[in-house]
Amino acid sequence: MVLPDGMVYVGTSLPTPYGRNDPCLIDPSKPVAKVGNYAERQTTYWPSYAEVSPDARRAYLTWLASGRRDPAADVGFVFLFFYGLERRVLLDAPVDERARFELPAIAAELRGLLSAYGAASGSFRHHAHQLLEWVELAEYPPRLYEKPVPALAEAYELPLYLRLALGQTAVDGVPVPVHIALAWARMAPTVYLRTPAQRCADEFEKMFHQEYETQCGRGIQLPHNRTKLKFSYHPASSGFRGSSEVHEPKLTFGNIPDITVLTGPTKKLQAVVDAATKPLESYSRLVGRDPAFKESLEAVLQLPEPLWPLAVREVIQNLQSRMVDGVAEMTFGALLAALNAKTIFTKEKTLALARVLEASGIGFEPDVLGEAKLPKPEDPVVVFKLPAESGAIRGGSSFHVAVLTLQLASTVVGSDNETSNAKAGFLREAVRSWQHLTPGQASRLLALLRLLHQAPTSLTALKKKFEAVELPAKEAIAAFMATLVRPDGEVSPAELKTLEKVYKTLGVDPQKVFSDVHGAAAGKRLTITPAPAKDDAGLRLDPERIAALQRDTERVSALLADIFVESEQAQGPAAASTTPVGEQPEDTDAAPTSTTLLGLDEAHSSFARMLVSQREWSREDLLDIAGDLDLMLDGALEHINDAAFDAHDIPFSEGDDPVIVNPEILEKIRA
């Protein structure tokens, strides 16, 4: 049988560090069956070519001859081949120049094996990644932190590549670059990534970059701590195991520190992770329920504006292009359709939509962010372009007075179809003349006029807003409504009837309608002065200066400041519910209380993670680690042992110098 790809040991003698033949050795003297199926399990936990059956030898040789990539192969045969790679890297390369020359080819082979079998076996994935790290970092380059981060395997400890890159930043005195910090956050077992950070990986990466710069400036500055970086390799092959000890090769890196022993930098990193995750929570829940919504309007509304995908930006631009003279009228349902909405909009989503539109320079009426009643799909809405320098677009007592004035005026303007256009034009000119408004407020009021022209406010809906208003102020507002019927020079019976209803709604004597209308027609100046005990300032309304209403609304505002914020009760019971019938409340992603080992506190957990990174420790090394963590060495070892006994009924470590880590505890932690 021909094995064209090589990378195997063939012969009758290949001693291990403990004298016996290496289990990877293909011994031609051993019998081989005529057939063998490498898809069947035919090996023990630690396979050896010399000890498996002839059928298993045939299966193994067949797998080798086939190219070593068939995903159907049993992982026991993969490990048997892997033992040979371990030996070549760990035993031969340090003393054999030819073996060192082969290291790049071995690294490529390891990547190929990981691609074929890494997903099928966590144990193989762990060992293969460890060996690959050894190959790539045995002669490590300087300033590793400046290079792109390669694909790394998750493990119970931070990968050596990142530990080395982070240690180099400490030695060189440079901040941790953002791409290294992101990989650190994703790979560190002591940093907790909530569901949004994992489910929405691309969005999280963008938010992480933003938050890292905000919180850390140029980056986290790591101290040059005392614990030196070392890499202890845990061999998979039984050839590295004697009767009572394990040969564990080690790499050292000079004065480069192991920063994973520190808890302070990890806390800073966790704060960045939490801040980057928070804005993604709602988006993550929606996408988690239905991944098809990932780029839908409903999902994007939950994201910060910088994260919007191009498709959504194009939808917003299309909406802007539909505006004639900066305004577009449509139903709420048509607006949602134009924005490619796919689900029923709740109150929360409608508010989010209004915020998104405003962030894009588009105003929205009714002003749901100003607590207007939420529209139904069939209700009319008006979208409008906000001026580039719009200033405040809502708020302030004078602005609320103007809104109330237009709402009341809509009941009068709409009472006579033949003259309503002229009166609407009069109101538009009045709004444009109100100098106390910002450009954004004026644009909003003009859009509100369009909306009121289609759907005038009912007097019943307005009545509650005037319950707390003093009678003199109500009479002043009623008199202003009387001036509105005069722009066209005619007063119809329908208009007089509507005015009477307005007066009744305000609690003003309807008999005053005729005198106020005649007073307005004559250009009479109306002056109402509340009693001094109520208010020291008088209120004047001059029908001849209606176009400069701001002079009067400034005075009216003192009396009406507390009535223009619509209460939840005024919006009705339907608006109080934000979850439509049949839709379940969104789930939450709660962070666990700890990412520590064995229920230990952060310092002892960090110490325990360092301990399991190699089998044997000198007391001197452990004193450095304990010092970095502000722990007393003997007390820390005893505390960790107690926790191990409580959790698994086995000790964590034994001995005083050296300190030997119990191999069983490592298997428990990996499990």
Side-chain angles (χ1 to χ4, degrees), residues 258-302:
D258 191 339
I259 64 90
T260 58
V261 71
L262 304 175
T263 58
T266 304
K267 289 180 179 179
K268 291 182 181 179
L269 189 64
Q270 184 70 63
V272 175
V273 167
D274 292 342
T277 303
K278 183 69 175 176
L280 304 178
E281 290 175 350
S282 298
Y283 177 76
S284 172
R285 288 193 289 269
L286 184 58
V287 173
R289 288 198 296 272
D290 188 348
F293 279 87
K294 186 172 178 63
E295 294 190 4
S296 68
L297 175 68
E298 291 88 327
V300 172
L301 290 182
Q302 314 303 322

Side-chain angles (χ1 to χ4, degrees), residues 157 163 227-230 258-262 597 604-614 617 622 625 629 652 661:
E157 61 183 347
R163 293 161 66 192
T227 303
K228 299 298 183 287
L229 180 62
K230 298 177 181 178
D258 191 339
I259 64 90
T260 58
V261 71
L262 304 175
L597 288 180
H604 285 89
S605 177
S606 183
F607 192 28
R609 288 186 187 279
M610 286 298 300
L611 284 173
V612 297
S613 67
Q614 62 187 59
W617 290 89
L622 291 183
I625 297 172
L629 291 165
F652 197 97
V661 179

Side-chain angles (χ1 to χ4, degrees), residues 135-199:
V135 172
E136 293 179 331
L137 299 176
E139 296 181 3
Y140 59 92
R143 297 186 296 279
L144 203 61
Y145 50 82
E146 294 180 350
K147 305 180 185 303
V149 179
L152 301 171
E154 293 186 17
Y156 62 90
E157 61 183 347
L158 192 66
L160 176 62
Y161 183 98
L162 291 176
R163 293 161 66 192
L164 180 55
L166 291 168
Q168 287 177 334
T169 69
V171 171
D172 294 348
V174 299
V176 177
V178 64
H179 73 287
I180 297 293
L182 177 62
W184 180 15
R186 283 175 164 162
M187 303 300 296
T190 52
V191 174
Y192 180 68
L193 294 185
R194 295 174 56 204
T195 301
Q198 300 177 65
R199 180 186 291 152

Side-chain angles (χ1 to χ4, degrees), residues 351 366-372 394 400 444 564-566 571:
L351 295 177
D367 186 13
V368 293
L369 295 178
E371 300 196 20
R394 64 177 61 81
H400 289 307
R444 180 169 292 285
F564 298 112
V565 178
E566 196 166 353
Q571 295 194 28

Side-chain angles (χ1 to χ4, degrees), residues 420-434:
S420 61
N421 288 334
K423 294 171 183 176
F426 170 78
L427 284 174
R428 285 195 295 271
E429 292 304 316
V431 169
R432 293 189 181 103
S433 71
W434 293 346

Side-chain angles (χ1 to χ4, degrees), residues 269-610:
L269 189 64
Q270 184 70 63
V272 175
V273 167
D274 292 342
T277 303
K278 183 69 175 176
L280 304 178
E281 290 175 350
S282 298
Y283 177 76
S284 172
R285 288 193 289 269
L286 184 58
V287 173
R289 288 198 296 272
D290 188 348
F293 279 87
K294 186 172 178 63
E295 294 190 4
S296 68
L297 175 68
E298 291 88 327
V300 172
L301 290 182
Q302 314 303 322
L303 288 173
E305 188 273 339
L307 301 189
W308 293 354
L310 178 62
V312 172
R313 296 179 187 276
E314 291 176 346
V315 165
I316 297 293
Q317 291 172 359
N318 290 338
L319 177 61
Q320 291 173 326
S321 68
R322 294 179 58 176
M323 297 181 188
V324 178
D325 297 328
V327 182
E329 301 176 22
M330 62 193 76
T331 66
F332 186 51
L335 173 62
L336 297 181
L339 296 172
N340 295 332
K342 297 181 180 180
T343 62
I344 298 174
F345 257 53
T346 63
K347 178 181 179 179
E348 179 184 351
K349 292 176 182 176
T350 303
L351 295 177
L353 170 62
R355 294 188 189 100
V356 168
L357 292 177
E358 283 190 7
S360 304
I362 300 175
F364 175 81
E365 280 289 338
D367 186 13
V368 293
L369 295 178
E371 300 196 20
K373 186 176 180 180
L374 301 178
K376 299 176 182 178
E378 65 273 15
D379 290 343
V381 298
V382 177
V383 291
F384 58 97
K385 289 183 179 179
L386 288 169
E389 300 295 332
S390 61
I393 56 177
R394 64 177 61 81
S397 57
S398 60
F399 175 73
H400 289 307
V401 168
V403 170
L404 180 66
T405 300
L406 295 184
Q407 290 174 333
L408 275 173
S410 71
T411 66
V412 177
V413 169
S415 64
D416 187 342
N417 291 331
E418 294 181 1
T419 61
S420 61
N421 288 334
K423 294 171 183 176
F426 170 78
L427 284 174
R428 285 195 295 271
E429 292 304 316
V431 169
R432 293 189 181 103
S433 71
W434 293 346
Q435 300 299 315
H436 67 291
L437 300 174
T438 68
Q441 289 174 336
S443 296
R444 180 169 292 285
L445 289 180
L446 291 172
L448 175 61
L449 275 176
R450 286 178 174 261
L451 182 65
L452 292 172
H453 188 66
Q454 298 182 65
T457 305
S458 70
L459 291 175
T460 302
L462 292 171
K463 187 173 183 178
K464 275 198 170 187
K465 296 184 178 183
F466 291 94
E467 289 179 351
V469 181
E470 296 291 337
L471 180 60
K474 292 179 180 178
E475 290 177 336
I477 293 172
F480 170 65
M481 291 300 109
T483 67
L484 187 59
V485 301
R486 298 304 306 161
D488 56 356
E490 300 290 339
V491 181
S492 68
E495 289 173 323
L496 289 175
K497 187 174 182 181
T498 299
L499 278 178
E500 288 179 355
K501 292 180 181 179
V502 168
Y503 277 49
K504 288 180 181 179
T505 298
L506 293 171
V508 177
D509 183 1
Q511 296 299 323
K512 295 177 62 66
V513 168
F514 294 97
S515 61
D516 288 348
V517 168
H518 285 295
K524 181 179 178 181
R525 190 180 186 85
L526 301 174
T527 303
I528 301 172
T529 305
K534 299 281 187 180
D535 193 346
D536 292 335
L539 173 66
R540 297 174 178 271
L541 254 71
D542 185 355
E544 295 176 354
R545 294 184 298 140
I546 293 299
L549 185 61
Q550 72 276 8
R551 302 177 190 177
D552 299 306
T553 57
E554 292 294 341
R555 297 185 179 118
V556 175
S557 65
L559 295 171
L560 306 184
D562 62 342
I563 67 168
F564 298 112
V565 178
E566 196 166 353
S567 67
E568 286 293 326
Q569 291 79 10
Q571 295 194 28
S577 172
T578 62
T579 304
V581 176
E583 182 174 324
Q584 296 299 316
E586 294 183 337
D587 61 296
T588 58
D589 297 305
T593 57
S594 175
T595 57
T596 59
L597 288 180
L598 302 173
L600 296 165
D601 59 58
E602 288 185 1
H604 285 89
S605 177
S606 183
F607 192 28
R609 288 186 187 279
M610 286 298 300

Side-chain angles (χ1 to χ4, degrees), residues 108-125:
E109 179 66 18
L110 287 169
R111 294 189 192 96
L113 292 172
L114 279 166
S115 176
Y117 306 107
S121 171
S123 177
F124 175 74
R125 182 171 64 250

